[in-house]
C-alpha cells in the first residue's frame, strides 16, 4: 500500500480510505480474504503440506495461517481438506 501510494503521490491513509470506500473492505482484509480463497483452492486441488500452502499464499507462518483460516472459515485447514 505504501509503495502504491508513493508511486501515485498519494497519502497511504487516503489511498486506504478510497479503497475501503470503493470495495467495502479494508485493504488488509481484502488481502486476507484473497489469501484464504487461494489457500482453499490449494487445499482442494493439491497435496502440498499446510505449511507449504501457508507460505505460498503469503502467510508469515503456518501457525498464523491456521489461526486465520479457522477464524475465517470456522474449520481448520486440515478439516477443510478432508471435506473436499
Amino acid at each position: 500500500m505504501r509503495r502504491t501510494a508513493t508511486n501515485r503521490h498519494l497519502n497511504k491513509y487516503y489511498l486506504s480510505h478510497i479503497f475501503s470506500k470503493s470495495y467495502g473492505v479494508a485493504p488488509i482484509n481484502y488481502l486476507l480474504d484473497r489469501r484464504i480463497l487461494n489457500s482453499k483452492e490449494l487445499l482442494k486441488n493439491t497435496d502440498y503440506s499446510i505449511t507449504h500452502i501457508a507460505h505460498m499464499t503469503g502467510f508469515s507462518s503456518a501457525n498464523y495461517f491456521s489461526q486465520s483460516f479457522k477464524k475465517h472459515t470456522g474449520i481448520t485447514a486440515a478439516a477443510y481438506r478432508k471435506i473436499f
Side-chain angles (χ1 to χ4, degrees):
M1 181 66 70
R2 180 182 43 197
R3 190 176 349 161
T4 301
T6 301
N7 289 343
R8 304 270 189 257
H9 304 290
L10 298 170
N11 180 289
K12 67 181 179 180
Y13 300 108
Y14 175 73
L15 186 60
S16 178
H17 173 74
I18 295 298
F19 186 97
S20 297
K21 190 173 181 178
S22 297
Y23 294 99
V25 64
I28 191 66
N29 292 333
Y30 176 82
L31 179 60
L32 182 58
D33 290 346
R34 296 298 305 169
R35 287 177 173 170
I36 296 295
L37 183 64
N38 290 340
S39 66
K40 285 178 171 181
E41 289 301 313
L42 290 168
L43 287 165
K44 284 193 282 189
N45 299 315
T46 72
D47 61 351
Y48 296 143
S49 71
I50 291 173
T51 300
H52 189 64
I53 290 172
H55 290 117
M56 287 176 68
T57 53
F59 286 90
S60 56
S61 72
N63 190 32
Y64 177 56
F65 167 71
S66 295
Q67 290 174 354
S68 298
F69 192 92
K70 185 168 184 177
K71 183 178 179 182
H72 198 80
T73 65
I75 61 174
T76 65
Y80 184 87
R81 175 172 264 166
K82 284 182 183 178
I83 293 170
F84 295 97

